[in-house]
């Protein structure tokens, strides 16, 4: 949110509040939290209400969003609120206008940009201000994009990130949205969603390539074991901080990582959260090739365009021959990892770690 000049009047603020009610598209939880916090700061000043309890996740998230604004002056909060609403209304106007070449760009995703060109479907995580953390909605969008790509006429499919990160893993605010059935129901639903999500990677029928443009965290790393090729910028790092978060491995990494890099190296990553550089990940076999960041995009896309012209059926069949004997095993591993995680998500270790992150007390 740009807080250029502090000039929003009370009238601008009230207009912005009305515009929020008229938004055609739900702006998503994190924007709604930001709007809530700026509104409270603009009208009441710094947060001084008692902090909600650990299990009152929705009110806790609201409190965190407000509290993090600290002593931000009321006028600045009012201006930031007006700026934020104005950015939401202008982006909804531009997305409703027909764009030239829209046949190439699949519309309708909130946090992905999906394009098909030169035989390549590119799925780009597009939430750079949150380092491409995967929200609940994004899990569903990625599943839809993968299912669509599996049936389109492209020959290869690429997953990459917009901005400086490839992906910062699961969005740690996903667990603030607790349904009526409580934490148990949330954990059950999340495990089902995760199982479907990882299942889409296991079953993906065409060559699947990760273009890792920057740091990768958590599920952004573990799923790499299910890609056929992984290209990384030398700015990328690979981090699975499950121990720090009270979690256990997912994305079939409990099986693919020991197979790829050997059990001892896999344990250092998956149990102790050792972060690898791109060159270390390449030496361990998780990454296919590392490129200097300055030439990364050019080199990788030149290569991928050449690969995409190879006979599509031969590529699909070769992938099947390489992967199919493992599929049943991978689905079983996925199911077991999700079963264990369902328990983990309800543990004090995990809840405290997420709360520490949300209250800005912890970072990787
Ligand atoms: C339901 C299926 C579940 C599957 C389970 C998967 C397991 C995992 O994926 S575990 C990994 C979870 N990820 C993390 O723990 C990363 C947490 N993020 C960080 O430690 C840091 O943000 C960072 C090291 C990635 C980047 O630090 P940096 O200083 O460069 O930037 P920040 O100012 O921290 O980030 C900018 C902005 O983005 C928000 N953000 C970043 N990552 C996440 C995340 N994973 N979840 C939610 N939000 C995230 C961060 O809070 C900042 O937001 P604000 O600008 O609003 O403060």
């Amino acid at each position: 949110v740009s807080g250029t000049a502090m000039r929003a009047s009370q009238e601008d603020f009230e207009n912005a509040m009305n515009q929020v009610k008229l938004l055609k598209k739900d702006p998503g939880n994190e924007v709604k939290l930001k709007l809530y916090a700026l509104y409270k700061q603009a009208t009441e000043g710094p947060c001084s209400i008692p902090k909600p309890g650990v299990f009152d996740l929705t009110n806790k998230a609201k409190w965190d969003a407000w509290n993090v604004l600290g002593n931000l002056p009321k006028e600045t909060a009012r201006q930031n609120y007006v700026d934020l609403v104005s950015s939401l209304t202008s982006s909804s106007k531009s997305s409703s206008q027909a764009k030239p070449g829209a046949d190439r760009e699949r519309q309708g995703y909130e946090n992905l940009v999906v394009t098909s060109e030169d035989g390549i479907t590119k799925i780009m995580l597009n939430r750079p201000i949150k380092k491409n953390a995967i929200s609940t909605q994004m899990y569903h969008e990625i599943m839809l994009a993968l299912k669509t790509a599996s049936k389109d006429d492209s020959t290869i499919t690429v997953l990459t990130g917009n901005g400086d990160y490839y992906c910062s893993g699961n969005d740690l605010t996903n667990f603030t949205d607790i349904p009526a059935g409580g934490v148990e129901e949330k954990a059950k639903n999340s495990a089902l969603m995760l199982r479907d999500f990882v299942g889409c990677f296991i079953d993906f029928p065409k060559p699947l390539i990760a273009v890792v443009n920057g740091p990768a965290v958590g599920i952004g790393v573990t799923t790499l074991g299910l890609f056929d090729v992984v290209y990384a910028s030398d700015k990328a790092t690979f981090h699975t901080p499950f121990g720090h978060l009270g979690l256990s491995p997912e994305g079939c990494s409990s099986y693919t990582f020991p197979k790829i890099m050997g059990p001892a190296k896999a344990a250092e990553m998956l149990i102790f959260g050792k972060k690898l550089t791109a060159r270390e990940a390449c030496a361990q076999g998780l990454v296919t090739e590392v490129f200097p960041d300055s030439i990364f995009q050019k080199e990788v896309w030149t290569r991928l365009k050449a690969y995409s012209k190879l006979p599509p059926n031969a590529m699909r069949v070769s992938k099947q021959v390489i992967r199919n004997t493992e599929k049943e095993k991978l689905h079983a591993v996925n199911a077991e990892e999700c079963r264990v995680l369902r328990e983990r998500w309800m543990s004090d270790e995990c809840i405290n770690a997420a709360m520490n992150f949300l209250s800005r007390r912890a970072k990787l």
Side-chain angles (χ1 to χ4, degrees), residues 341-360:
L341 266 174
R342 185 174 159 182
E343 300 296 320
R344 286 277 89 216
W345 286 325
M346 291 186 287
S347 69
D348 287 348
E349 288 178 345
C350 177
I351 291 170
N352 289 339
M355 290 306 168
N356 280 341
F357 176 79
L358 294 176
S359 58
R360 299 294 184 275

Side-chain angles (χ1 to χ4, degrees), residues 156-316:
I156 62 178
T157 301
V158 173
L159 189 72
T160 189
N162 186 18
D164 57 346
Y165 262 65
Y166 170 69
C167 173
S168 65
N170 184 46
D171 186 318
L172 294 172
T173 66
N174 285 344
F175 282 91
T176 56
D177 181 18
I178 301 295
V183 186
E184 289 81 5
E185 190 184 330
K186 181 75 194 178
K188 182 177 157 214
N189 294 343
S190 301
L192 288 171
M193 182 185 74
L194 180 62
R195 191 170 161 175
D196 287 348
F197 179 77
V198 174
C200 287
F201 287 85
I202 299 173
D203 289 331
F204 196 75
K206 301 176 187 180
L208 184 60
I209 291 113
V211 171
V212 185
N213 52 297
V217 185
I219 194 158
V221 177
T222 55
T223 42
L224 293 176
L226 299 170
F227 281 71
D228 301 298
V229 166
V230 178
Y231 293 134
S233 150
D234 60 2
K235 284 206 171 143
T237 51
F238 298 82
H239 194 190
T240 47
F242 301 133
H244 303 72
L245 294 168
L247 292 173
S248 51
E250 84 292 290
C252 292
S253 58
S254 62
Y255 177 71
T256 56
F257 279 27
K259 213 170 163 225
I260 291 169
M261 58 185 80
K265 294 288 183 191
E268 240 190 336
M269 276 191 90
L270 297 175
I271 302 177
F272 301 120
K274 183 178 184 211
K275 191 197 281 190
L276 300 190
T277 63
R279 300 216 181 277
E280 285 167 339
C282 191
Q284 303 304 343
L286 183 62
V287 165
T288 310
E289 193 169 335
V290 181
F291 299 82
D293 193 63
S294 55
I295 55 163
F296 178 60
Q297 297 290 345
K298 187 166 173 284
E299 290 289 316
V300 164
W301 290 104
T302 305
R303 193 179 295 189
L304 291 176
K305 277 179 196 165
Y307 288 166
S308 70
K309 295 189 176 59
L310 292 169
N313 292 336
M315 288 198 282
R316 285 172 84 107

